[in-house]
Amino acid sequence: MVAGLFFAFSTFVMAALARLPADQGIAAMQSINITVLNPLFSLVFMGTALASVILAVYSIFKLGTTPTTYLLVGSALYVVGSFLVTVVCNVPLNDALAAVDPSSAEGTRVWTQYLSQWMVWNHVRTIASLAALASFIIALRKW
């Protein structure tokens, strides 16, 4: 589910927001960044990270079998490429965007930088989440 969400933002959501005048794009993204902080999204996003950590620990103790290798790889991809990239890269950009007035010149400047930087990290999250998903599927099929 997380991979699909990131994929949507990479392929059309941010492109649609970038087509809007800066103040409207900023206001829309500020609203998205507020509404995404809800229990259901948190359960899916952080629950997947927690499950990945548990699977990684399990895999380390059972290392040597093909399925556990794929579990370990998938777990690392999700935790590092999705969860940590979000916390270290995307959230600070979201916080910087939240601090600006959408109608200000500073807002427009931040928005321009935000679009390019946020998208790079979102592409990383998308690829990492999809690769993690593929690794988990392979692990299940080899079990």
Side-chain angles (χ1 to χ4, degrees):
M1 290 173 59
V2 174
L5 175 71
F6 293 154
F7 179 79
F9 272 84
S10 279
T11 58
F12 64 88
V13 172
M14 294 306 288
L17 295 179
R19 293 179 63 167
L20 296 172
D23 62 329
Q24 292 176 21
I26 294 167
M29 194 64 190
Q30 287 173 334
S31 181
I32 289 168
N33 288 335
I34 291 168
T35 55
V36 76
L37 300 176
N38 66 69
L40 189 55
F41 175 76
S42 295
L43 175 68
V44 171
F45 183 67
M46 291 185 218
T48 303
L50 178 60
S52 294
V53 169
I54 292 167
L55 287 171
V57 171
Y58 169 81
S59 297
I60 289 169
F61 287 109
K62 300 288 186 176
L63 211 55
T65 66
T66 302
T68 57
T69 301
Y70 282 103
L71 284 178
L72 185 59
V73 168
S75 296
L77 283 166
Y78 185 82
V79 170
V80 173
S82 179
F83 187 79
L84 288 179
V85 165
T86 298
V87 171
V88 173
C89 302
N90 292 88
V91 169
L93 291 168
N94 291 345
D95 291 345
L97 188 68
V100 299
D101 176 359
S103 61
S104 69
E106 176 69 6
T108 301
R109 185 190 65 72
V110 169
W111 180 241
T112 301
Q113 288 181 325
Y114 179 89
L115 285 170
S116 62
Q117 293 175 0
W118 194 92
M119 282 298 292
V120 167
W121 292 114
N122 194 67
H123 292 331
V124 170
R125 298 187 305 177
T126 301
I127 293 165
S129 296
L130 289 171
L133 175 61
S135 293
F136 291 142
I137 290 169
I138 293 168
L140 283 173
R141 292 196 41 92
K142 291 195 176 282
W143 217 276

